[in-house]
Amino acid sequence: TVTTTETTEAEADTTTDGAAVEETAEAADAAEETADTEAAVSEALADGMLTAGTNAEFPPFEYVGDDGEADGFDIALIKAIGEKLGVDVQVDNMEFASLVSSIGNKIDVAIAGMTITDERKEAVDFSEPYYEAVQYVLLPEGSEIATAEDLKNKTIGCQLGTTGMFLAEDIEGATAQTYNRAVDAVNDLVNGRVDAVIIDKNPAEVFNTKFEGKVKIIDGADFGFEAEEYALSLIHISE
């Protein structure tokens, strides 16, 4: 079920922190090493254009900038890769859940804070990881939820197709309320329509600042969530 809200509108902070910017060059080198060796990618680049899909609803990794274009750490990364490969980069903003299936036809690669999972590996190859992350839990200020046990039988907001959704679906008795945009999940949290939201650390911190005094965040490690790695997904594997 995709739920929208007509009330509070969260505008994500569009400023990447200094550490993220400094990591761009190093991450570009790691991702380029894999991309440069894949024959399928080389073929895709024959026209001089690398078409990258993203979902610009995940600050500070990707968001819509003041100019209406996708911006953020991942966008800087893919542009740095394009520069190293000697090709232009076109970034297409689309729904997160459609990124994997679009690789090889609509886009060449996906870069969207995408976690490497066994399920996704069945459909695409991944570059070397460029970022380690962990899921966080957003809660209303004053919520008594503090452990994995407390999340049982709760309604948990999450973005469609993300690791947060997979985690929510595995919680005993919990209802995973899915959204096309993470901001809509947070809006519903603020308005009392969901009990918690599971989302990656960095956007969780952005929303925590934006809704100061209304929400709080807890490290996913306190709920038993394991660290995960982001990578570019590329080269759709034929069945």
Side-chain angles (χ1 to χ4, degrees), residues 8-11 138 141 183 186-187 190 205-216:
T8 308
E9 178 65 21
E11 292 296 331
L138 274 77
E141 185 64 43
V183 63
V186 180
N187 282 331
V190 171
E205 291 175 337
V206 171
F207 290 129
N208 187 48
T209 299
K210 197 67 181 180
F211 290 103
E212 184 176 0
K214 296 181 180 180
V215 302
K216 61 181 180 179

Side-chain angles (χ1 to χ4, degrees), residues 12 36 45 51 81 100 103 107 138 162 167 169 177-178 217:
D36 196 36
L45 298 179
T51 304
I81 292 172
V100 169
I103 297 172
I107 58 177
L138 274 77
T162 63
L167 289 171
E169 290 176 338
Q177 186 74 24
T178 59
I217 56 177

Side-chain angles (χ1 to χ4, degrees), residues 35-215:
D36 196 36
T37 60
E38 295 288 354
V41 170
S42 297
E43 183 178 349
L45 298 179
D47 61 355
M49 177 71 70
L50 175 65
T51 304
T54 194
N55 176 244
E57 302 286 347
F58 193 65
F61 289 91
E62 39 267 327
Y63 54 83
V64 177
D66 294 337
D67 60 358
E69 300 294 325
D71 201 352
F73 174 82
D74 279 349
I75 308 307
L77 172 58
I78 197 63
K79 288 181 178 179
I81 292 172
E83 183 176 352
K84 286 180 175 290
L85 294 174
V87 296
D88 294 327
V89 174
Q90 175 182 314
V91 179
D92 291 347
N93 189 15
M94 59 184 64
E95 299 294 346
F96 185 88
S98 67
L99 286 170
V100 169
S101 62
S102 296
I103 297 172
N105 46 76
K106 296 180 180 179
I107 58 177
D108 299 318
V109 300
I111 183 164
M114 185 174 290
T115 301
I116 302 170
T117 66
D118 290 338
E119 181 179 1
R120 288 172 180 154
K121 283 181 179 179
E122 294 179 0
V124 295
D125 286 341
F126 283 94
S127 70
E128 291 296 317
Y130 63 85
Y131 193 87
E132 183 173 280
V134 66
Q135 298 291 309
Y136 265 40
V137 177
L138 274 77
L139 299 167
E141 185 64 43
S143 172
E144 296 182 357
I145 294 174
T147 67
E149 188 72 19
D150 297 333
L151 288 175
K152 291 182 179 180
N153 303 310
K154 295 295 192 293
T155 300
I156 302 173
C158 44
Q159 188 175 8
L160 187 66
T162 63
T163 306
M165 184 190 78
F166 302 145
L167 289 171
E169 290 176 338
D170 286 340
I171 296 172
E172 182 181 338
T175 299
Q177 186 74 24
T178 59
Y179 303 79
N180 283 326
R181 305 191 308 163
V183 63
D184 292 333
V186 180
N187 282 331
D188 272 5
L189 179 73
V190 171
N191 291 305
R193 299 188 182 102
V194 297
D195 300 305
V197 169
I198 300 178
I199 192 172
D200 289 64
K201 172 185 176 180
N202 294 81
E205 291 175 337
V206 171
F207 290 129
N208 187 48
T209 299
K210 197 67 181 180
F211 290 103
E212 184 176 0
K214 296 181 180 180
V215 302

